[in-house]
Amino acid sequence: MAALPLECSQLILIPLNPLSSAMARDPGRVLIFDTTLRDGEQSPGASLNLEEKLAIAQQLARLGVDIIEAGFPFASSGDFNAVQRIAASVGTPDGPVICGLARAARGDIKACAEAVAPAAHRRIHTFIATSDIHLEHKLRKSRAEVLAITREMVAYARSLVDDVEFSCEDAGRSDPDYMHQVIEAAIEAGATTINIPDTVGYATPTEFGELIAGINRCVPNIEQAVISVHGHNDLGLAVANFLEAVKHGARQLECTINGIGERAGNASLEELVMALHVRRSYYNPFLGRPAESTTPLTAVHTEEITKTSRLVSNLTGMAVQPNKAIVGANAFAHESGIHQDGVLKHRLTYEIIDARTVGLSDNRISLGKLSGRSAFRARLEELGYSLDGEDLNDAFVRFKELADRKREISDRDLEAIVSEQVQQQGEARFLLRRVQVSCGTGLLPTATVTLETTDGEERSEAAIGTGPVDAVCQALNRLARVPNELVEFSVKSVTEGIDAMGEVTIRLRADGVLYSGHSADTDIVVAAAQAFVNALNRLVAGGQRVPLHPQKAPLPVAEIPRL
Ligand code: KIV
Ligand code: ZN
């Protein structure tokens, strides 16, 4: 397509012509690029350990995402190892592309190439800002310098892998004419995907659609690359912006499970996928298909959505708001009598999605007290969790303990047990051995706790608190001696009924960084103690890590490319 320089310097709203949308290289569907493990993990307090990242990556593969952005390998050895392990175990020939993030700097790109190397399909995602505000205040570079860095670093990345994504950070506030030059240079240097991030969540749907249309119109070599979009939810518009971008030729959507991510989060995967699923006939023509085509617009297995959402929420400690679209607890609940009556008469009166489409079952009773190890393992496998050896044994012991206290064990109970098992894998400095509390009217709430440290030593402490949970936390703090401030404590029940397990999420702050811990038990004081210990273990492990933030950290001097 020839460039139209006069039109390209102006903001022109062209009428949409759905059937002529396939201007960019078109993968034939909308690619889903999941960045839960990279941008999602940038949510305050959401940092994950290696086992948790692996469990999420495996579930993302089952969900059917096309690309997993597994982390920022240059940030720390922990991030590097996680990307490499995911590349080795999830990046199979029929699995997703495994991608790592790298700033436009040699050291970042080299580390990224090494980390994704074990994957059958691997990608380097490199980025540099293109907005004047970022150039002037963050990078302190001229437009010409950024253009030259883009050429040099994309070419370097392309010398290491065949699949290179380039992002114009803060594209939403960049001068389109300058950004078009940078994109053209990136494609010339070998970029196969061009990503357009609305980094600060500032764009509105019409503007964002026009930004993508302008790229399609004005970048002469754009047909050699897939156009991708990335966006934050500061104004709650990320999903709407992306759907508008699809109408103008974007064919890759960068999103996260439950919409977690930097500040107000990223565009939510489940909302995008379900919008494209439910409104397929509306979007089909923008991909050059007849409206009535039944071919799915994405490769996502929608029935895996609920399970993936719960896993991510449990492991990151980021609760899903009850009214959240698609995965919130109330998303399929009808409260008003008129609605209930309508749904009973005909489901479609008030429902646009059958809950089973997103894998929301009737929370069926799966196992009981007499169920054996193989039934337990088989049910876990049906739910998509594979535990072996010690991990399976430990989870089975927890299941038996629970079955003694709770008559019926549902899938949600099993998910709670397994997600906690995953959280406790890896190096844990403290193990909770015993908790005992006495509380009630006329008593001072008192807790006695026993912790085991990595050298096998058991130590006990007692404390008085304002309530039993406070007393437990104080006693644990006396033992652990790791300065921290408790900033959040929340309890919710896993299932209905008086014998339900309580799920506790705790967030601690130390040196301005948040660490979360999560646990479930029929005794909420025990769950609170275990969640507190899980958060302390993360704090201790995280304190040794001090990761670089991909967008906030300046380039190390040695890494600033020489021009
Ligand atoms: O928000 C953003 O701009 C990013 C880029 C690194 C893609 O996360
Ligand atoms: Zn982002």
Side-chain angles (χ1 to χ4, degrees):
M1 201 188 92
L4 304 169
L6 276 178
E7 286 186 357
C8 291
S9 58
Q10 300 158 10
L11 186 75
I12 297 166
L13 280 173
I14 48 166
L16 294 179
N17 179 0
L19 286 169
S20 69
S21 71
M23 287 187 259
R25 184 154 72 89
D26 199 333
R29 64 165 190 267
V30 177
L31 300 175
I32 297 297
F33 175 114
D34 181 278
T35 182
T36 306
L37 295 173
R38 199 279 297 171
D39 215 324
E41 212 216 2
Q42 286 175 217
S43 316
S47 68
L48 297 160
N49 67 30
L50 177 62
E51 304 302 331
E52 291 165 337
K53 287 185 185 176
L54 262 177
I56 291 178
Q58 272 149 2
Q59 180 55 28
L60 290 172
R62 282 189 285 266
L63 180 66
V65 305
D66 298 283
I67 302 111
I68 295 178
E69 186 163 56
F72 173 34
F74 191 74
S76 68
S77 57
D79 286 51
F80 182 93
N81 291 339
V83 176
Q84 202 174 43
R85 280 282 299 279
I86 292 170
S89 58
V90 185
T92 54
D94 56 352
V97 174
I98 305 298
C99 170
L101 183 70
R103 293 168 301 180
R106 262 176 207 278
D108 278 47
I109 293 172
K110 186 163 177 290
C112 187
E114 283 166 20
V116 296
H121 311 287
R122 45 192 172 269
R123 174 180 296 186
I124 294 177
H125 174 192
T126 188
F127 74 98
I128 193 160
T130 48
S131 67
D132 288 335
I133 192 162
H134 276 232
L135 262 61
E136 189 182 334
H137 300 288
K138 188 180 85 168
L139 298 176
R140 305 220 164 89
K141 292 200 179 300
S142 67
R143 287 183 171 195
E145 283 173 312
V146 166
L147 192 61
I149 293 172
T150 302
R151 277 188 212 287
E152 191 182 333
M153 291 302 124
V154 171
Y156 177 53
R158 188 59 203 265
S159 73
L160 302 173
V161 293
D162 289 338
D163 184 347
V164 174
E165 172 169 333
F166 173 75
S167 286
C168 306
E169 191 192 6
D170 204 17
R173 292 186 301 171
S174 298
D175 167 16
D177 287 345
Y178 171 62
M179 193 174 70
H180 295 161
Q181 290 172 38
V182 175
I183 295 173
E184 187 181 348
I187 297 175
E188 258 169 30
T192 43
T193 298
I194 293 295
N195 184 40
I196 306 301
D198 181 19
T199 304
V200 292
Y202 183 70
T204 65
T206 309
E207 284 169 348
F208 202 58
E210 172 54 25
L211 192 67
I212 304 305
I215 291 167
N216 259 324
R217 216 171 40 234
C218 303
V219 177
N221 53 1
I222 194 63
E223 71 282 357
Q224 294 169 34
V226 171
I227 299 184
S228 164
V229 287
H230 177 110
H232 288 266
N233 216 16
D234 300 67
L235 296 175
L237 294 172
V239 168
N241 286 346
F242 279 29
L243 293 172
E244 201 57 25
V246 168
K247 288 163 60 177
H248 291 276
R251 291 293 174 267
Q252 176 180 286
L253 307 181
E254 300 201 354
C255 44
T256 60
I257 301 296
N258 301 336
I260 64 171
E262 202 51 53
R263 305 184 310 280
N266 286 67
S268 137
L269 180 147
E270 57 279 4
E271 292 175 23
L272 288 165
V273 166
M274 289 313 291
L276 292 171
H277 181 84
V278 173
R279 302 303 311 275
R280 186 159 44 206
S281 56
Y282 175 74
Y283 288 102
N284 270 336
F286 296 100
L287 277 89
R289 305 173 178 190
E292 61 283 5
S293 166
T294 53
T295 309
L297 285 167
T298 72
V300 166
H301 308 300
T302 58
E303 332 71 61
E304 292 288 326
I305 284 178
T306 301
K307 198 197 306 162
T308 316
S309 161
R310 285 180 188 158
L311 181 72
V312 169
S313 170
N314 285 344
L315 296 183
T316 57
M318 309 244 340
V320 175
Q321 78 201 51
N323 58 329
K324 163 88 175 61
I326 316 296
V327 292
N330 298 347
F332 295 93
H334 298 282
E335 190 68 16
S336 114
I338 298 174
H339 288 206
Q340 286 170 353
D341 178 57
V343 168
L344 287 174
K345 286 180 176 142
H346 196 300
R347 191 182 63 76
L348 295 182
T349 51
Y350 287 100
E351 265 182 24
I352 59 163
I353 306 170
D354 181 339
R356 286 168 300 188
T357 315
V358 295
L360 194 64
S361 64
D362 303 332
N363 198 24
R364 80 178 168 97
I365 291 143
S366 56
L367 298 170
K369 199 178 161 117
L370 300 177
S371 307
R373 225 178 110 91
S374 43
F376 175 70
R377 184 190 196 147
R379 186 67 198 137
L380 285 188
E381 270 166 18
E382 275 168 40
L383 287 170
Y385 298 99
S386 46
L387 290 188
D388 298 305
E390 280 289 290
D391 297 327
L392 181 67
N393 289 344
D394 291 351
F396 187 63
V397 169
R398 287 214 57 208
F399 157 69
K400 280 290 178 186
E401 282 167 6
L402 181 63
D404 277 340
R405 281 178 277 153
K406 191 170 185 294
R407 221 161 27 92
E408 291 160 342
I409 311 279
S410 70
D411 289 348
R412 299 260 2 227
D413 295 318
L414 288 183
E415 281 170 354
I417 291 176
V418 181
S419 67
E420 193 175 335
Q421 193 64 42
V422 174
Q423 194 180 161
Q424 286 167 12
Q425 286 170 1
E427 283 266 304
R429 168 88 77 88
F430 307 113
L431 291 174
L432 181 68
R433 285 297 175 218
R434 277 178 294 281
V435 187
Q436 196 189 342
V437 291
S438 69
C439 59
T441 34
L443 283 177
L444 284 177
T446 312
T448 311
V449 296
T450 305
L451 278 187
E452 183 185 320
T453 49
T454 31
D455 48 20
E457 192 196 338
E458 281 199 5
R459 285 188 290 137
S460 302
E461 266 289 357
I464 293 170
T466 51
V469 172
D470 182 44
V472 164
C473 296
Q474 295 211 35
L476 287 170
N477 270 333
R478 283 184 191 172
L479 285 172
R481 296 203 202 113
V482 186
N484 68 75
E485 178 198 350
L486 180 78
V487 289
E488 188 187 318
F489 168 76
S490 68
V491 193
K492 75 175 199 279
S493 86
V494 175
T495 52
E496 282 151 21
I498 193 73
D499 61 352
M501 285 206 283
E503 245 173 344
V504 175
T505 301
I506 275 186
R507 274 176 208 278
L508 306 178
R509 185 167 25 225
D511 290 331
V513 181
L514 287 176
Y515 300 90
S516 65
H518 171 267
S519 183
D521 199 285
T522 48
D523 182 328
I524 59 155
V525 179
V526 174
Q530 187 60 62
F532 197 86
V533 171
N534 291 343
L536 282 176
N537 280 327
R538 279 193 173 166
L539 192 169
V540 176
Q544 295 153 359
R545 179 173 152 218
V546 200
L548 275 177
H549 186 292
Q551 282 146 303
K552 290 180 193 136
L555 291 178
V557 177
E559 290 301 329
I560 298 177
R562 275 182 294 115
L563 295 168

